[in-house]
């Protein structure tokens, strides 16, 4: 009997100490827009919340969304605009912590074509690289095309992923222009390979292109998962907000110190410049404002007839309830 009791105690202790496993998909883990995810992982904040977060790097936002819809991941680190797109298709997807307050997406044309492509309207008939068709870099391109008198079908879209693959696509002239994120953009600029046409890495740039703050990188999931797993969701948000707070006031050098060497793509000094260009884009609190989600709805409505026709209830696309419960540390 004593042995049985002892065994049960050991089992109960093991269950109590066991970490909750969460499968999280991300549309390009090394993309700087998703940098807080790696910061939180490397600082051990997920583990301190009792979570075993298994991160699947799916290389593009549209692929991460597909994985969530297909059930191979439970949560996604991706762009907020997908929640609106999915509601228009009858799917209930909810963002529950904001990581990026600006998209930090840049549209640039190859430098050798800059004399021919002087404006976005001049992209007609050109090949444009995006992280993947259906991703937020593609949405950004579509919006800019429509805003400048073109149709999304006036260009050929090619998926080029992020980082080194995106740089190679421009360098090897597989595309004429590119809509992408850091670190690819600064690498291309420093090598003189692109001329920037639209830039949302800063407050000023985002205001000029999109009119103001624009919720970008978030954690999102299905409403059903959120309702079944409120404790796990809270722990994820606790860790992410703690990471965002840690990043506030840190220098690029301090942030780079916690990152894997492969993130620097062989040039640490250049990566520090990338970070310097990007730090402004991260949310300091994780909280959604009540007005900013209107901008992604406006952008998507400009080129997506499903969204334009739908009666989108923005209040169902995001929640601050978990962020508001994060301990004040």
């Amino acid at each position: 009997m004593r042995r049985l009791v002892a065994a049960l105690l050991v089992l109960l202790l093991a269950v109590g100490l066991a970490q909750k496993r969460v499968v999280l998909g991300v549309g390009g883990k090394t993309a700087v827009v998703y940098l807080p995810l790696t910061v939180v992982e490397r600082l051990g904040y997920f583990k301190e919340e009792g979570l075993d977060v298994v991160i699947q790097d799916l290389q593009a936002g549209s692929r991460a969304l597909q994985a969530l819809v297909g059930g191979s991941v439970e949560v996604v680190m991706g762009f907020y605009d997908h929640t609106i797109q999915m509601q228009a298709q009858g799917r209930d997807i909810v963002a529950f912590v904001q990581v990026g307050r600006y998209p930090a997406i840049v549209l640039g044309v190859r430098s050798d074509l800059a004399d021919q492509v002087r404006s976005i309207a001049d992209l007609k008939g050109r090949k444009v690289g995006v992280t993947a068709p259906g991703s937020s870099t593609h949405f950004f391109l579509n919006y800019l095309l429509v805003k400048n008198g073109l149709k999304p079908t006036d260009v050929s879209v090619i998926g080029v992923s992020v980082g080194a693959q995106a740089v190679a696509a421009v360098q090897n002239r597989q595309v004429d222009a590119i809509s992408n994120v850091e670190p690819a953009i600064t690498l291309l600029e420093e090598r003189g390979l692109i001329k920037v046409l639209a830039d949302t890495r800063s407050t000023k740039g985002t205001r000029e292109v999109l009119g103001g703050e624009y919720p970008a990188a978030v954690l999102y999931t299905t409403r059903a998962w959120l309702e079944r797993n409120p404790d796990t969701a809270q722990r994820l948000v606790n860790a992410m907000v703690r990471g965002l707070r840690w990043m506030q006031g840190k220098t690029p050098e301090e942030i780079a110190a916690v990152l894997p060497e492969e993130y620097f793509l062989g040039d640490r000094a250049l990566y520090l410049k990338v970070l310097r260009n990007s730090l402004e884009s991260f949310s300091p609190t994780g909280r959604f404002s009540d007005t900013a989600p209107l901008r992604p709805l406006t952008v998507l409505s400009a080129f997506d007839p499903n969204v334009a026709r739908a009666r989108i209830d923005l209040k169902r696309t995001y929640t601050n309830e978990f962020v508001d419960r994060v301990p004040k540390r």
Side-chain angles (χ1 to χ4, degrees), residues 5 30 32 38 41 45 51 80 137 162 168 170 199 227 237 253 306 310:
V5 170
T30 60
V32 174
T38 299
E41 178 191 33
Y45 292 166
L51 297 174
Y80 165 75
T137 51
V162 296
V170 175
D199 189 342
E227 290 175 351
V237 173
E253 290 79 7
N306 289 330

Side-chain angles (χ1 to χ4, degrees), residues 203-251:
T203 305
K204 180 176 180 290
T206 304
R207 189 179 295 121
E208 288 172 357
V209 178
L210 298 169
E213 187 174 341
Y214 188 107
V218 300
L219 283 185
Y220 67 74
T221 186
T222 63
R223 186 174 302 279
W225 187 90
L226 209 55
E227 290 175 351
R228 285 196 311 269
N229 301 277
D231 179 62
T232 303
Q234 187 64 61
R235 293 195 228 173
L236 284 169
V237 173
N238 290 349
M240 291 307 308
V241 171
R242 188 178 173 192
L244 291 171
R245 289 173 180 168
W246 180 87
M247 290 175 69
Q248 292 304 301
K250 291 289 188 295
T251 64

Side-chain angles (χ1 to χ4, degrees), residues 11-140:
L11 180 60
L12 287 169
L13 184 62
V15 169
L17 293 174
Q19 292 188 318
K20 171 69 176 174
R21 187 174 186 268
V22 182
V23 182
L24 187 153
V26 58
K29 192 182 179 192
T30 60
V32 174
V33 286
Y34 302 134
L35 184 67
L37 178 66
T38 299
V39 168
V40 169
E41 178 191 33
R42 300 280 288 187
L43 292 175
Y45 292 166
F46 286 134
K47 282 187 165 49
E48 288 181 24
E49 287 291 334
L51 297 174
D52 173 20
V53 178
V54 179
I55 299 173
Q56 292 188 5
D57 188 355
L58 300 164
Q59 293 296 308
S62 57
R63 292 180 200 139
L65 174 62
Q66 288 163 10
L68 179 70
V69 171
S72 59
V73 303
E74 298 165 280
V75 176
V76 167
M77 171 70 78
F79 268 42
Y80 165 75
D81 46 22
H82 289 298
T83 68
I84 297 173
Q85 177 199 35
M86 288 292 97
Q87 191 181 118
Q89 296 176 22
R91 295 185 182 275
D92 208 358
I93 306 294
V94 188
F96 58 104
V97 60
Q98 179 178 276
V99 170
R101 55 183 177 162
Y102 310 131
I105 301 172
V106 174
L107 176 65
V109 63
R110 271 192 3 233
S111 296
D112 61 302
L113 297 174
D115 288 341
Q116 301 168 48
V117 182
R118 297 184 179 183
S119 70
I120 293 167
D122 295 330
L123 287 173
K124 187 171 183 176
R126 298 288 182 175
K127 294 179 291 185
V128 185
V130 299
T131 53
S135 292
S136 295
T137 51
H138 190 185
F139 295 163
F140 182 69

Side-chain angles (χ1 to χ4, degrees), residues 253-273:
E253 290 79 7
E254 287 172 311
I255 293 171
V258 307
L259 301 178
E261 190 70 30
E262 60 265 25
Y263 276 45
F264 308 144
L265 299 177
D267 193 333
R268 188 185 184 91
L270 187 57
Y271 193 84
L272 291 175
K273 184 171 184 178

Side-chain angles (χ1 to χ4, degrees), residues 182 186 189 201-202 272-280:
E182 297 287 21
T186 296
E189 286 182 294
R201 287 174 292 186
S202 66
L272 291 175
K273 184 171 184 178
V274 168
L275 287 180
R276 205 164 283 114
N277 286 341
S278 305
L279 291 180
E280 193 180 343

